[in-house]
């Protein structure tokens, strides 16, 4: 993936801002994540659709972290909600 495209075109402004760490930009942090990822086991645990909003609960690995992402259908952008 292209970290700059991910930060600018895929992430919402709020999600991109949440990836900043100290003097590191969203692009820096996404580059790091893309280099360090070694557990590709993603499990969608739940999907909820209400009106034109979809929310998915995703877990990485068997014991991994769980995150919830939301998207307005048709917007082409996603945001982490928890």
């Amino acid at each position: 993936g292209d970290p700059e495209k991910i930060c600018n075109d895929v992430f919402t402004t709020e999600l991109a801002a949440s990836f900043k760490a100290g003097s590191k930009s969203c692009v820096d942090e996404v580059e790091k994540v893309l280099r360090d990822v070694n557990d590709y086991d993603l499990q969608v645990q739940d999907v909820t659709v209400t009106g034109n909003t979809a929310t998915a609960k995703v877990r990485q690995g068997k014991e991994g972290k769980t995150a919830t992402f939301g998207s307005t259908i048709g917007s082409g952008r996603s945001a982490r909600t928890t």
Side-chain angles (χ1 to χ4, degrees):
D2 177 353
E4 190 167 335
K5 184 170 179 64
I6 292 169
C7 289
N8 295 329
D9 298 339
V10 177
F11 290 170
T12 61
T13 303
E14 295 81 13
L15 182 59
S18 75
F19 271 79
K20 294 179 183 177
S23 64
K24 301 288 184 179
S25 70
C26 175
V27 172
D28 295 332
E29 292 300 310
V30 170
E31 283 177 343
K32 179 180 172 189
V33 168
L34 292 175
R35 277 193 314 267
D36 294 341
V37 171
N38 58 12
D39 185 355
Y40 296 101
D41 181 24
L42 298 177
Q43 302 164 11
V44 176
Q45 296 185 314
D46 183 50
V47 175
T48 304
V49 178
T50 306
N52 68 341
T53 302
T55 304
K57 184 176 179 182
V58 180
R59 170 186 246 157
Q60 181 180 16
K62 291 181 182 179
E63 307 285 326
K65 294 181 181 180
T66 300
T68 302
F69 296 88
S71 180
T72 300
I73 297 169
S75 73
R77 293 183 174 255
S78 297
R80 184 174 180 167
T81 58
T82 61

